[in-house]
Amino acid sequence: MSRPSLADKDFLTVIETAEYFGLSRRKLFRLAEEKNLPFMAMYGTRKLIIKDEFIKYLKKPGVKEGLANGKPRTKKRLEA
């Protein structure tokens, strides 16, 4: 039996959420530490994200931009 695609899943891990929506993993892990988020679900000690609720959250103005990946580091920036 093959694994379901991320599009078919109702609950995603933080890493799967970052991959599916093209967001920063680091920022999502920080967000997952906050309390009383409507899209978070606990399964034992695992934190899962309810995909439909997270989509509603992303539709709020400025949220998706705040969680987006930053610009890649350039060689010049790394040398400084």
Side-chain angles (χ1 to χ4, degrees):
M1 189 168 143
S2 65
R3 298 179 106 182
S5 71
L6 297 181
D8 295 334
K9 294 173 90 176
D10 293 327
F11 296 90
L12 302 170
T13 65
V14 174
I15 294 172
E16 289 173 336
T17 302
E19 182 181 318
Y20 185 72
F21 291 101
L23 303 173
S24 167
R25 286 200 280 172
R26 183 179 308 177
K27 290 178 185 175
L28 279 175
F29 275 111
R30 281 192 213 134
L31 181 65
E33 294 300 318
E34 293 182 22
K35 305 252 189 254
N36 300 323
L37 294 172
F39 53 83
M40 293 299 298
M42 294 297 292
Y43 182 71
T45 58
R46 293 180 66 194
K47 293 180 181 181
L48 298 174
I49 295 174
I50 305 166
K51 187 168 60 173
D52 291 338
E53 292 298 317
F54 189 69
I55 290 170
K56 290 178 191 175
Y57 178 76
L58 285 178
K59 288 182 180 178
K60 293 180 182 178
V63 171
K64 188 166 185 173
E65 294 80 17
L67 296 173
N69 283 319
K71 294 180 182 178
R73 293 180 183 255
T74 62
K75 188 174 182 179
K76 186 175 183 180
R77 183 174 168 192
L78 290 174
E79 291 173 357

